[in-house]
């Protein structure tokens, strides 16, 4: 099992100095850094190569996280928008190969957050699956796995449960298209988190972890049963990454998108945040062996 963390934990606004975060997370004991996939389009090829060298030197890998804007919705009713979305994600995947990143994770099957204007779930499903089939082929050629994130009802209408995710993957039927489950979302939607993980089984390609309120694993009073979550991962022989995605800081563009309206501990200074991430990593490793 590899352990990772999303860089945004230390930021108020999207984007950051990934060279700094690569060094930081390696020092804290993590194996992988999750970066913003869209940011890769703003980096030069040389910048991406440099980041790859830094990661190789530190022995860490990168996953790339995306929640595409509506103009890139691969499930849009407009063929031109779907085409633009496919092109956008293919461009990102091409950049990922320069960085040496092989996991594109997030809500790539539609746009995020959803605006709930179009509630034709079946239509969205069909268009989205067709686009993702095309994207999965491109991913396969590049050795990239797309991990589609199952998110709660307030963020999409398409994939809210592991069962829907598995059905969608079977519909797309592409070895490079898998699922991303997230304990925060599962805590809202699933009857039982370990059962949802077992149901996802071989389709699970990536896992986001956080407490019910998106604090770090083990931060505050933990209401999730991490030991049972760990057992379920072992039951399915999960060998992907377990990536913390803490959202605890109010007052920036990240908080606005995630809807964090109060401080959940995120106003701590950087060294305190480092220490808390280190403690959370120890907590996770104790529970998910
Ligand atoms: Mn997530």
């Amino acid at each position: 099992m590899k352990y990772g963390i999303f860089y945004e934990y230390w930021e108020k606004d999207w984007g950051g100095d990934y060279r700094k975060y690569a060094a930081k997370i390696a020092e804290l004991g993590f194996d992988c850094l999750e970066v913003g996939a869209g940011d890769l389009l703003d980096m030069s090829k040389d910048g991406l190569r440099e980041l790859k060298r830094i990661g190789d030197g530190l022995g860490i890998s990168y996953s790339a996280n995306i929640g595409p804007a509506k103009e890139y919705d691969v499930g849009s009713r407009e063929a031109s928008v779907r085409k633009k979305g496919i092109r956008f994600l293919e461009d990102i995947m091409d950049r990922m190969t320069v960085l040496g990143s092989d996991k594109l994770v997030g809500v790539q099957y539609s746009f995020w957050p959803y605006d709930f204007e179009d509630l034709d779930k079946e239509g969205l499903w069909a268009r989205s699956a067709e686009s993702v089939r095309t994207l999965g082929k491109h991913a396969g050629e590049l050795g990239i796995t797309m991990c589609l994130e199952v998110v709660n009802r307030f963020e999409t209408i398409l994939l809210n449960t592991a069962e829907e995710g598995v059905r969608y993957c079977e519909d797309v039927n592409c070895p490079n298209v898998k699922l991303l489950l997230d304990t925060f979302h599962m805590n809202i939607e699933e009857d039982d988190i370990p059962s949802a993980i077992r149901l996802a089984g071989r389709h699970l390609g990536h896992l986001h972890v956080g407490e019910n309120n998106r604090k770090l694993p083990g931060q505050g009073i933990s209401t999730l049963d991490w030991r049972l979550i760990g057992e379920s991962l072992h039951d399915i022989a999960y060998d992907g990454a377990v990536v913390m995605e803490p959202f605890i800081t109010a007052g920036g563009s990240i908080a606005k998108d995630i809807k964090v309206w109060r401080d959940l501990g995120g106003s701590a200074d950087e060294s305190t945040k480092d220490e808390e991430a280190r403690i959370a990593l120890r907590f996770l490793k104790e529970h998910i062996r």
Side-chain angles (χ1 to χ4, degrees), residues 6 34 65 105-107 149-151 155 180-185 206-209 214 243-245 247:
F6 196 8
E34 193 146 303
N65 189 315
V105 310
V107 188
E149 183 157 16
V150 176
V151 296
E155 299 184 31
L180 158 53
L181 293 179
D182 180 320
T183 56
F184 165 74
H185 298 296
H206 202 69
L207 184 74
H208 277 163
V209 292
R214 308 204 98 164
V243 176
M244 295 179 197
E245 197 187 29
F247 290 107

Side-chain angles (χ1 to χ4, degrees), residues 93 134-146 174-177:
M93 286 193 259
T134 302
L135 285 164
K137 197 161 167 269
H138 191 77
E141 285 160 4
L142 301 178
I144 289 172
T145 302
M146 297 172 65
C174 171
N176 291 73
V177 176

Side-chain angles (χ1 to χ4, degrees), residues 2-243:
K2 284 188 167 176
Y3 295 88
I5 188 163
F6 196 8
Y7 82 93
E8 54 67 35
Y9 169 58
W10 287 277
E11 294 284 344
K12 274 195 162 177
D13 296 300
W14 298 112
D17 180 354
Y18 295 133
R19 293 167 304 182
K20 172 188 152 178
Y21 288 123
K24 182 194 280 293
I25 68 112
E27 196 278 321
L28 291 172
F30 290 94
D31 311 296
C32 48
L33 175 66
E34 193 146 303
V35 301
D39 294 338
L40 304 185
L41 296 174
D42 298 328
M43 291 172 69
S44 68
K45 289 253 170 89
D46 281 345
L48 290 166
R49 281 187 206 105
E50 189 199 351
L51 192 56
K52 179 184 191 305
R53 266 198 306 277
I54 290 170
D56 289 347
L58 295 164
I60 63 156
S61 61
Y62 301 102
S63 49
N65 189 315
I66 189 79
K70 192 173 184 179
E71 62 181 308
Y72 300 119
D73 177 15
V74 301
S76 171
R77 286 176 186 269
E78 303 293 328
S80 61
V81 175
R82 294 199 299 275
K83 201 173 159 193
K84 193 176 163 193
I86 289 170
R87 178 76 194 273
F88 172 69
L89 292 169
E90 287 184 344
D91 283 349
I92 286 174
M93 286 193 259
D94 293 344
R95 292 300 181 109
M96 287 171 62
T97 60
V98 183
L99 178 61
S101 167
D102 65 358
K103 292 276 187 317
L104 178 61
V105 310
V107 188
Q108 312 147 56
Y109 49 82
S110 180
F111 65 101
W112 179 90
Y114 200 66
D115 60 12
F116 305 98
E117 279 173 17
D118 186 346
L119 300 179
D120 172 20
K121 183 165 171 163
E122 274 181 32
L124 176 61
W125 181 296
R127 293 185 301 269
S128 164
E130 190 188 339
S131 297
V132 169
R133 222 168 275 132
T134 302
L135 285 164
K137 197 161 167 269
H138 191 77
E141 285 160 4
L142 301 178
I144 289 172
T145 302
M146 297 172 65
C147 301
L148 312 181
E149 183 157 16
V150 176
V151 296
N152 72 72
R153 67 190 71 182
F154 305 107
E155 299 184 31
T156 190
I157 64 167
L158 203 62
L159 304 182
N160 295 144
T161 65
E163 187 274 326
E164 288 179 318
V166 167
R167 210 152 25 88
Y168 184 94
C169 279
E170 285 171 352
D171 188 357
V172 169
N173 192 25
C174 171
N176 291 73
V177 176
K178 294 192 170 189
L179 294 178
L180 158 53
L181 293 179
D182 180 320
T183 56
F184 165 74
H185 298 296
M186 284 193 280
N187 183 60
I188 295 172
E189 299 295 346
E190 304 287 355
D191 289 340
D192 177 58
I193 293 176
S195 300
I197 290 171
R198 286 192 189 89
L199 183 75
R202 65 186 172 84
H203 294 292
L204 187 65
H206 202 69
L207 184 74
H208 277 163
V209 292
E211 290 294 342
N212 63 302
N213 51 13
R214 308 204 98 164
K215 285 187 181 181
L216 288 155
Q219 189 181 24
I221 298 169
S222 186
T223 61
L224 302 184
D225 195 326
W226 292 101
R227 212 168 287 283
L228 290 182
I229 289 170
E231 280 175 18
S232 66
L233 292 170
H234 284 288
D235 287 349
I236 64 167
Y238 180 69
D239 64 354
V242 177
V243 176

